[in-house]
Amino acid sequence: MDALDEKANGGPPMEVEEIVSVHDHEAFAAKHMPDLGHEVKDFQVFTWRLTNWKKLEKKITSPEFECGGHKWRILLFPFGNSNAPPNDTVSVYLDYADPKRAPEGWHACAQFALVISNIHDPTIYTVSHAHHRFIAEECDWGFTRFSELRKLFSVQDGHSRPTIEDESADVSVFVRVLEDPTGVLWHNFVNYDSKKETGYVGLKNQGATCYMNSLLQSLYCTRYFRKAVYQIPTEDDHPTESVPLALQRVFYHLQTSDQPVGTTELTKSFGWKSLDSFLQHDVQEFNRVLQDKLESKMKGTKAEGAIQKLFVGKMKSYIKCVNVDFESSRIEEFNDIQLNVKGMKNLYESFKDYVAVETLDGENKYMAEGYGLQEAKKGIIFQSFPPVLHLQLKRFEYDIQRDTMVKINDRHEFPFEIDLNEFLDETADRSQPWVYKLHGVLVHSGDLHGGHYFALIKPDRETRWLKFDDDRVTPVTDREVLEENYGGEVMNGMVPPMQRNQVRAMKRFTNAYMLVYIRESAIDEVLAPWKDEDTPAHLKRRLEEERLQMEAKKREREEQHLYLTAKVITDQTFSEHEGFDLATFDERNWPATDLPSFRVLKNEPYSTFKSRVAQHFNYPENQIRLWVLVNRQNKTVRPDTHIPENEPQLTVEAIRNTMAVRQQNDLRLYLDIIPDPSHPEIPPGSIMIFLKHFDIANQKLTGVGKVYVPRASKVSDLIPIINERMRWTPDTPLKLYEAGGEIKPGMIELMKPKLTFTQSEIQDGDIICFQVDMNEKELHDFEAQGMYSNPVQYYDFLQNRVMILFKPKFEETDQDHPEFHLTLSKKQNYDVMSAKVGERLNWDPIKLRFTTTHSNGTPKSVLKRSLNQSIQEIMSPTYVNPQTTVILYEKLDVSIVELETKRSLKVIWTGIHNKEESAHPFLLPKTSSVHDLAVELAKQIKLTPTGTGKIRIFEVSKDGKTQKEFTGSEMIGNIPDPVELYAEEIPQEELEADDADKVISVFHFSKEVSRTHGVPFRFVVKPGEKFSETKKRLQARIGVSDKDFAKYRFALIQAATFKQPSYIEDEDTIYDHKFAPEDVLGLDHVDKSGKTRTGAGEKAIVIRG
């Protein structure tokens, strides 16, 4: 029972409160039950008279009454619900009567007011109101602290009698059962099943990609598009490397899964690392890049042309003379239309604004070829709209005053249906009406710096509108599709007092930023019913196999507690093992040995398990014996006892619990092969010893099997046995060491040959390490080469060895920049590491620079060679679970000694014609000036023989529109890193410009001002010069052929307006424009450099795959 202690009758003291009687049901409800904006299905009032209040039971219920097809009653605790001491309150609730008889999955949405009133004067009362979704788990709702008892029994200010008089009172409930057309009103979404309720599932949110989710859902519901994506052949692709396959998989999972679908594979296939996903790109750019990508993959397949057919329309920009028959026009294709929101009341007005005609007259007349200056009309008209129309509402714009992007939350209405006929050229094909139906609304809630995205989609004519909000899909009302996403003031006026809370105030930041309309005549084709054969068989097959694998894995996880893993060490694995013990199990800096493993039911009899092992290793059962390994006190893991063969009841779990004490979840075993099965017993009084050979020449430690020796024999008795096994001459002198003695696993000590094994405290499973004995000189020679001369030193190396992964810092991995592991000792230092990496890369170690990394793999800090730290210090203690240490390397052209006092810079030379001609690396003392850099650059480039001979070094501004020039005196050591430097030859024209001329900035962009490319430059504008002349000088300045230059368009970009760029005509004189410092000239042409910049400091979206 939830407490909602609201008091609704305490207005400001000066207000004269209108007195309402509880008996006046309509007026009472109007005063105390605010309109929640939902349709009322039924309204009932029920009153229950109570007498002898003080003698009432602790908990009582009223008779039942009906409202909205449900049975209700009042639940009253006259002295408070004992769950809420002190016992001096009244608790009262609305209770759903007999929920057990209600149909399964029932719910009722009710708004209600509970009232206790005086039986003689119904204007004296105490009231509280609430609303709730009544369900089986929450079938009563109301007020635990409805009122203090003493207040109800005493006369309150302004009244002549108490609420409860003579121990009698009326308890009433006013109930409005509300319509719940979507079935999810006030739903808490615990155990909500999107698939069951709507037939659709959501997408998981992967960080700042929710506009991606809303767009993907919209594209998925565009069934013609989904079908086309499915037609791209992807049988041989890998999902994280192929965008089409990853998208097919997302679509298939949306189609078949009953759980929300992940998009990690898809973003991986774009080549996005998680960081990129978080750089919030805009949906339009994302959509274009995705479609370009798919379009190129559709070439030559059944799907070719599908994107063009679905999403591409045509528009015409024109200038038409009024008094003579002359028109200049160009036709362009578009994938989406960007419409203004600011100052526009609705979508129709935004379209009118888009095709608005501008009159060129007076000083602004147009120079028409062959006709001279003419009055003209300038504008855009549509030639055709695509079947699926994507409209981008410009909710995000640049605000010059604040010098930042802002979100426009103005109200902007859009309809379920719009006729676009009037925006089409008279030549357009009108055989079918140009009526469009709303299919999708993509919504952004919040401000510029984040917020939340979701989509509202009507998947086809029959299906209702649905809200796709990341992992949840819910039905919505028409009001939630339109009204709630227009933006602007909330609820058009006063917010009722009960709702003056944050949730409502936020509403105004929730509005549509993209609309999807489908042409009515194309709906049946675009949203055609989905047929089974539309899903490619290869995809079904592949994903069905994966699903079965996943289910098997899930089953395996669920049944995990019934199984344990048995790991088996064999003589083969022992011989390949380089390290302590017989195998590595859980060492911090070294991977575990890959051992043959068996998944065994805990209650499996040992005999069954043994025969499985025998079969696996191809031995008759009577030829094998299994030993259990235990963790000894000194942390070594050694065979302890062999498993008895004669106990039929023995299970695998019993073995683990009784024989392998202090063991992990797995059972660790040693496979002992019996040489002569007719005499399987171990000779009495003998122990099993494992042997390891330390090969000094090859610096290797290898297992060479085991031997049984009598406890009482001498250590030196092993020597002939070893020589025979190694096929050495019988008198080869050996030194023997006990490995991993009683102290700790890394310990190893020389054994005394004359002692017995018992005296040497050797037991079953111990390891003895041997090496050929050499004279001092030979040993000294090995040590002089930096080699270990005995197992003691080698064991010390093992104790300290670590595996480090080296990766290139800036390059993608390739032949020259491989990714590789090296084994080093923590005791070694920087110099040894750089020498080993240099050897591996075939590169001078002094020209390698290393950078440590954070645990997520990003660069941390550059290692200084001068410190010559140990590997232990370089690895620095990570308190998280130690994963592999990753160190990044750079192959430099200069020694790092030099680099520590010098600055390495790269300058891109753009010459006299603003072309990226060449890149020049420099390494200069940090104290050099930018002027010194220019002097050095001049030695490497060719200047125009008759030119100015002057070089300008500059950076490009963040938005890509202007140059940031250096004065020349700056020290290069102080230029912040990273930096992109450019240099150009200053043209004669600029140097000779006089006071009357203006020098302006010019930049390159493609279609949209934010899609800048190339390098901005400076240009002289002369007074009185028509643009037709200015253009010729521009062409000469940037050195572009006539053929290419004919495709250029020129626009004046004013920072101070929200307007689209104003394109310049030949007759204009741009000198006459009053240039504000940020105003620039833009050259609109296709980017051939492939180096698009996007928006201020944003990365352009690149989708690889």
Side-chain angles (χ1 to χ4, degrees):
M1 295 181 191
D2 210 311
L4 285 162
D5 293 322
E6 303 276 13
K7 291 288 174 291
N9 47 6
M14 291 309 290
E15 272 182 28
V16 177
E17 182 124 17
E18 176 197 352
I19 295 172
V20 177
S21 158
V22 176
H23 295 171
D24 186 349
H25 296 166
E26 294 301 329
F28 189 89
K31 177 170 181 178
H32 293 294
M33 298 170 74
D35 180 0
L36 297 178
H38 301 288
E39 205 179 316
V40 177
K41 182 176 180 182
D42 191 6
F43 171 55
Q44 295 295 336
V45 180
F46 172 75
T47 300
W48 177 30
R49 180 155 295 182
L50 292 169
T51 53
N52 291 331
W53 191 284
K54 289 184 176 164
K55 293 196 175 69
L56 293 173
E57 297 285 320
K58 276 193 166 163
K59 170 184 176 183
I60 52 176
T61 49
S62 75
E64 294 176 8
F65 64 95
E66 194 171 301
C67 180
H70 300 278
K71 290 245 173 46
W72 308 88
R73 61 188 181 185
I74 298 170
L75 170 61
L76 177 75
F77 294 80
F79 313 103
N81 182 351
S82 55
N83 300 347
N87 226 352
D88 60 356
T89 56
V90 174
S91 306
V92 60
Y93 307 90
L94 175 61
D95 187 25
Y96 190 93
D98 204 1
K100 290 192 174 58
R101 281 226 201 106
E104 196 190 341
W106 68 273
H107 78 276
C109 295
Q111 177 189 16
F112 60 93
L114 285 158
V115 193
I116 298 182
S117 61
N118 183 294
I119 59 174
H120 306 297
D121 182 349
T123 64
I124 297 174
Y125 56 79
T126 299
V127 59
S128 279
H129 114 279
H131 62 267
H132 181 59
R133 180 186 181 91
F134 288 82
I135 51 174
E137 294 78 18
E138 289 177 351
C139 54
D140 55 42
W141 201 255
F143 308 95
T144 303
R145 307 186 65 85
F146 178 79
S147 174
E148 289 178 43
L149 261 177
R150 60 180 183 79
K151 280 192 179 166
L152 294 175
F153 275 99
S154 57
V155 179
Q156 297 299 303
D157 285 356
H159 293 308
S160 54
R161 37 203 335 167
T163 305
I164 301 179
E165 192 174 353
D166 301 334
E167 291 198 46
S168 302
D170 282 337
V171 181
S172 307
V173 63
F174 288 64
V175 183
R176 282 185 193 141
V177 171
L178 302 177
E179 293 286 4
D180 178 12
T182 61
V184 292
L185 180 60
W186 306 331
H187 202 303
N188 63 9
F189 295 111
V190 175
N191 303 326
Y192 177 78
D193 183 339
S194 294
K195 184 78 163 198
K196 191 170 129 197
E197 303 297 335
T198 65
Y200 289 80
V201 294
L203 289 164
K204 294 176 191 163
N205 182 353
Q206 230 186 289
T209 59
C210 11
Y211 71 78
M212 176 179 88
N213 285 358
S214 40
L215 181 73
L216 288 177
Q217 289 283 18
S218 163
L219 293 171
Y220 168 76
C221 291
T222 311
R223 293 179 191 152
Y224 190 96
F225 175 81
R226 190 194 328 169
K227 203 189 271 185
V229 167
Y230 277 160
Q231 286 172 332
I232 304 173
T234 55
E235 284 88 335
D236 307 324
D237 292 4
H238 193 283
T240 54
E241 288 152 19
S242 152
V243 172
L245 176 58
L247 191 57
Q248 287 176 352
R249 290 165 70 94
V250 168
F251 282 180
Y252 184 82
H253 287 311
L254 285 173
Q255 224 168 281
T256 56
S257 171
D258 50 9
Q259 294 298 319
V261 175
T263 54
T264 326
E265 261 182 6
L266 183 63
T267 50
K268 271 207 185 121
S269 74
F270 299 160
W272 288 13
K273 301 290 179 281
S274 56
L275 178 71
D276 280 341
S277 319
F278 289 105
L279 287 173
Q280 294 212 5
H281 303 296
D282 70 1
V283 68
Q284 174 193 19
E285 189 188 4
F286 174 79
N287 192 13
R288 283 194 187 170
V289 178
L290 179 64
Q291 296 201 0
D292 289 351
K293 183 68 151 178
L294 292 171
E295 206 165 9
S296 65
K297 300 278 184 178
M298 286 175 178
K299 286 209 170 79
T301 75
K302 275 204 300 206
E304 184 167 0
I307 285 182
Q308 185 81 11
K309 176 181 168 177
L310 268 187
F311 301 114
V312 177
K314 288 190 173 139
M315 60 169 84
K316 177 171 88 168
S317 332
Y318 63 87
I319 297 179
K320 190 174 168 66
C321 294
V322 177
N323 303 315
V324 295
D325 184 15
F326 180 85
E327 178 175 346
S328 146
S329 66
R330 56 194 288 161
I331 289 174
E332 286 178 77
E333 293 187 335
F334 64 87
N335 283 57
D336 50 31
I337 306 172
Q338 286 205 304
L339 297 171
N340 284 325
V341 168
K342 202 166 180 63
M344 304 293 146
K345 190 167 160 257
N346 54 31
L347 194 62
Y348 175 75
E349 279 192 13
S350 296
F351 267 107
K352 295 268 302 177
D353 169 66
Y354 200 90
V355 300
V357 178
E358 191 186 334
T359 304
L360 306 177
D361 55 9
E363 288 184 2
N364 244 348
K365 280 188 177 162
Y366 172 62
M367 172 62 84
E369 228 168 293
Y371 293 99
L373 285 175
Q374 289 290 338
E375 193 179 320
K377 304 277 187 205
K378 173 182 175 188
I380 289 174
I381 189 83
F382 290 97
Q383 300 234 304
S384 66
F385 292 107
V388 179
L389 183 58
H390 282 174
L391 304 177
Q392 306 287 344
L393 304 181
K394 286 162 77 177
R395 289 271 179 202
F396 298 101
E397 289 197 343
Y398 179 74
D399 179 341
I400 183 70
Q401 263 63 47
R402 290 190 256 173
D403 183 27
T404 179
M405 295 293 283
V406 292
K407 182 174 176 199
I408 294 164
N409 288 305
D410 300 3
R411 183 176 175 89
H412 180 266
E413 299 173 8
F414 50 88
F416 276 134
E417 178 176 308
I418 187 167
D419 188 344
L420 299 177
N421 185 37
E422 67 174 275
F423 307 115
L424 284 161
D425 197 1
E426 63 263 16
T427 59
D429 173 3
R430 287 180 165 78
S431 54
Q432 295 276 350
W434 290 93
V435 172
Y436 278 76
K437 295 273 200 198
L438 187 62
H439 164 72
V441 181
L442 274 58
V443 180
H444 177 262
S445 171
D447 64 5
L448 182 79
H449 304 291
H452 182 63
Y453 296 82
F454 58 88
L456 302 154
I457 300 168
K458 186 170 174 21
D460 53 44
R461 288 188 198 269
E462 285 68 48
T463 311
R464 67 181 308 154
W465 279 92
L466 300 172
K467 176 179 182 178
F468 293 80
D469 188 351
D470 286 338
D471 50 13
R472 186 183 300 149
V473 186
T474 52
V476 286
T477 59
D478 288 0
R479 179 191 163 82
E480 285 172 274
V481 177
L482 301 181
E483 179 65 43
E484 294 194 3
N485 300 307
Y486 289 161
E489 286 304 311
V490 56
M491 295 181 60
N492 306 331
M494 274 295 291
V495 180
M498 293 307 304
Q499 289 147 4
R500 286 190 181 143
N501 56 21
Q502 271 324 95
V503 181
R504 291 277 165 178
M506 267 305 287
K507 275 288 195 219
R508 68 176 56 171
F509 298 118
T510 302
N511 38 51
Y513 66 93
M514 177 174 157
L515 304 172
V516 182
Y517 279 90
I518 298 184
R519 191 175 180 185
E520 188 167 26
S521 55
I523 288 180
D524 294 338
E525 186 184 5
V526 173
L527 304 180
W530 195 258
K531 297 195 290 293
D532 199 38
E533 60 268 26
D534 293 336
T535 311
H538 74 89
L539 196 62
K540 274 191 201 166
R541 210 171 34 249
R542 185 165 174 170
L543 289 160
E544 193 52 30
E545 278 166 20
E546 282 178 25
R547 190 182 64 77
L548 293 171
Q549 280 169 2
M550 291 272 289
E551 278 180 11
K553 272 199 185 127
K554 187 176 165 198
R555 225 181 6 260
E556 198 172 301
R557 274 199 309 276
E558 284 167 358
E559 294 170 359
Q560 195 54 52
H561 65 285
L562 303 174
Y563 288 84
L564 54 80
T565 305
K567 294 186 169 176
V568 181
I569 294 173
T570 63
D571 290 339
Q572 173 73 29
T573 68
F574 177 54
S575 70
E576 290 163 5
H577 170 61
E578 278 225 37
F580 309 126
D581 289 340
L582 310 184
T584 303
F585 287 106
D586 23 35
E587 222 184 287
R588 271 189 66 150
N589 295 311
W590 207 254
T593 312
D594 189 12
L595 295 172
S597 295
F598 297 84
R599 190 164 181 254
V600 198
L601 266 171
K602 289 177 179 174
N603 58 7
E604 184 171 303
Y606 170 64
S607 51
T608 316
F609 170 63
K610 183 184 170 186
S611 63
R612 273 171 65 193
V613 174
Q615 203 175 347
H616 177 89
F617 291 108
N618 280 329
Y619 284 106
E621 266 181 68
N622 63 352
Q623 210 181 332
I624 67 167
R625 177 190 298 130
L626 288 166
W627 291 66
V628 177
L629 274 74
V630 297
N631 286 2
R632 293 190 183 169
Q633 234 64 75
N634 64 358
K635 294 227 169 56
T636 54
V637 183
R638 298 293 167 82
D640 185 55
T641 42
H642 59 83
I643 301 170
E645 305 286 339
N646 46 7
E647 296 182 22
Q649 296 311 307
L650 193 61
T651 65
V652 178
E653 186 172 31
I655 294 170
R656 189 200 46 192
N657 293 348
T658 55
M659 301 174 72
V661 224
R662 294 194 298 279
Q663 194 66 88
Q664 277 62 22
N665 281 339
D666 46 15
L667 181 60
R668 299 163 180 184
L669 303 168
Y670 165 66
L671 178 69
D672 181 7
I673 308 300
I674 301 165
D676 178 2
S678 59
H679 296 89
E681 50 292 325
I682 296 167
S686 63
I687 46 176
M688 176 171 68
I689 291 174
F690 288 84
L691 300 172
K692 281 188 182 180
H693 170 217
F694 175 59
D695 176 349
I696 202 169
N698 293 313
Q699 296 282 291
K700 274 183 90 108
L701 188 67
T702 16
V704 285
K706 57 152 193 323
V707 290
Y708 286 104
V709 292
R711 286 173 194 279
S713 60
K714 288 204 176 95
V715 170
S716 55
D717 295 347
L718 257 183
I719 295 175
I721 300 172
I722 292 170
N723 282 334
E724 187 184 340
R725 186 166 292 192
M726 299 301 290
R727 299 192 175 154
W728 292 337
T729 52
D731 53 355
T732 306
L734 301 179
K735 269 187 174 169
L736 304 182
Y737 297 81
E738 183 196 348
E742 286 310 309
I743 314 155
K744 57 177 198 242
M747 283 298 289
I748 175 163
E749 47 195 2
L750 195 57
M751 297 180 77
K752 298 192 168 99
K754 295 198 168 73
L755 296 184
T756 64
F757 289 106
T758 308
Q759 288 166 324
S760 307
E761 296 184 356
I762 297 294
Q763 61 192 54
D764 270 328
D766 276 349
I767 296 171
I768 289 179
C769 181
F770 60 88
Q771 79 178 110
V772 176
D773 198 4
M774 298 185 174
N775 63 42
E776 285 299 314
K777 185 187 175 308
E778 284 176 304
L779 291 175
H780 186 75
D781 288 350
F782 278 116
E783 283 175 5
Q785 293 174 53
M787 291 161 88
Y788 303 108
S789 64
N790 60 46
V792 178
Q793 294 171 359
Y794 193 74
Y795 263 66
D796 181 67
F797 161 68
L798 290 183
Q799 186 81 28
N800 288 290
R801 71 179 167 175
V802 286
M803 194 173 298
I804 295 183
L805 173 61
F806 290 89
K807 289 178 168 186
K809 184 167 179 180
F810 296 118
E811 292 78 13
E812 291 285 321
T813 19
D814 58 24
Q815 232 173 336
D816 292 332
H817 303 93
E819 205 171 281
F820 55 91
H821 286 94
L822 283 184
T823 301
L824 297 163
S825 161
K826 289 188 214 166
K827 293 183 172 177
Q828 288 168 330
N829 55 19
Y830 178 97
D831 286 345
V832 175
M833 175 180 84
S834 64
K836 290 203 174 206
V837 174
E839 195 181 326
R840 172 72 179 74
L841 291 172
N842 199 8
W843 197 259
D844 184 350
I846 199 78
K847 292 184 178 174
L848 286 171
R849 179 160 66 172
F850 299 99
T851 306
T852 58
T853 54
H854 293 287
S855 54
N856 62 359
T858 53
K860 190 171 171 185
S861 54
V862 173
L863 290 173
K864 283 201 161 43
R865 173 179 171 270
S866 51
L867 298 175
N868 200 14
Q869 293 166 293
S870 69
I871 301 292
Q872 172 82 49
E873 291 167 307
I874 288 172
M875 286 172 64
S876 83
T878 40
Y879 299 107
V880 286
N881 228 4
Q883 290 142 319
T884 322
T885 301
V886 178
I887 292 181
L888 308 173
Y889 67 83
E890 295 165 80
K891 291 162 84 169
L892 307 173
D893 300 327
V894 291
S895 100
I896 51 176
V897 180
E898 243 187 300
L899 204 58
E900 286 179 4
T901 58
K902 295 189 175 177
R903 173 83 192 261
S904 159
L905 288 168
K906 186 169 79 170
V907 181
I908 293 165
W909 174 244
T910 63
I912 188 85
H913 289 311
N914 186 242
K915 300 263 188 306
E916 295 191 21
E917 291 182 9
S918 50
H920 301 271
F922 293 98
L923 186 73
L924 297 169
K926 288 181 179 171
T927 50
S928 317
S929 65
V930 171
H931 176 74
D932 299 335
L933 179 62
V935 171
E936 291 300 316
L937 177 65
K939 296 175 188 168
Q940 299 192 15
I941 46 140
K942 270 205 172 94
L943 290 165
T944 321
T946 56
T948 60
K950 291 198 180 322
I951 289 175
R952 169 189 293 129
I953 292 184
F954 60 94
E955 279 183 87
V956 172
S957 63
K958 260 191 182 162
D959 60 7
K961 295 189 177 76
T962 52
Q963 297 183 349
K964 287 161 64 178
E965 191 179 348
F966 291 97
T967 61
S969 59
E970 298 90 346
M971 262 178 25
I972 62 170
N974 295 339
I975 299 175
D977 213 11
V979 65
E980 275 195 40
L981 294 180
Y982 295 87
E984 64 177 0
E985 181 178 339
I986 299 177
Q988 203 83 40
E989 193 171 61
E990 188 184 328
L991 217 58
E992 292 166 359
D994 59 26
D995 291 348
D997 295 335
K998 289 180 185 173
V999 179
I1000 63 165
S1001 289
V1002 186
F1003 76 104
H1004 307 265
F1005 72 98
S1006 177
K1007 289 193 178 163
E1008 275 164 52
V1009 182
S1010 60
R1011 297 172 78 123
T1012 59
H1013 56 88
V1015 182
F1017 60 95
R1018 303 213 172 151
F1019 181 68
V1020 178
V1021 181
K1022 300 194 170 295
E1025 181 181 67
K1026 287 277 179 257
F1027 194 65
S1028 51
E1029 293 306 307
T1030 313
K1031 268 195 336 197
K1032 290 175 187 161
R1033 287 193 303 109
L1034 259 176
Q1035 183 177 357
R1037 171 76 172 86
I1038 57 177
V1040 174
S1041 70
D1042 291 349
K1043 183 181 166 208
D1044 281 346
F1045 200 67
K1047 295 178 190 158
Y1048 279 49
R1049 296 171 71 196
F1050 307 90
L1052 196 58
I1053 314 296
Q1054 290 163 270
T1057 61
F1058 285 129
K1059 283 200 308 212
Q1060 286 282 17
S1062 40
Y1063 282 91
I1064 302 167
E1065 302 303 332
D1066 286 358
E1067 279 315 297
D1068 295 339
T1069 305
I1070 59 170
Y1071 182 89
D1072 297 344
H1073 170 72
K1074 306 228 175 330
F1075 276 89
E1078 293 92 2
D1079 292 358
V1080 288
L1081 176 64
L1083 308 185
D1084 180 357
H1085 60 101
V1086 175
D1087 169 24
K1088 293 189 174 168
S1089 70
K1091 291 187 179 156
T1092 304
R1093 292 185 184 80
T1094 312
E1098 258 193 53
K1099 281 188 178 174
I1101 297 193
V1102 181
I1103 295 184
R1104 288 210 294 269

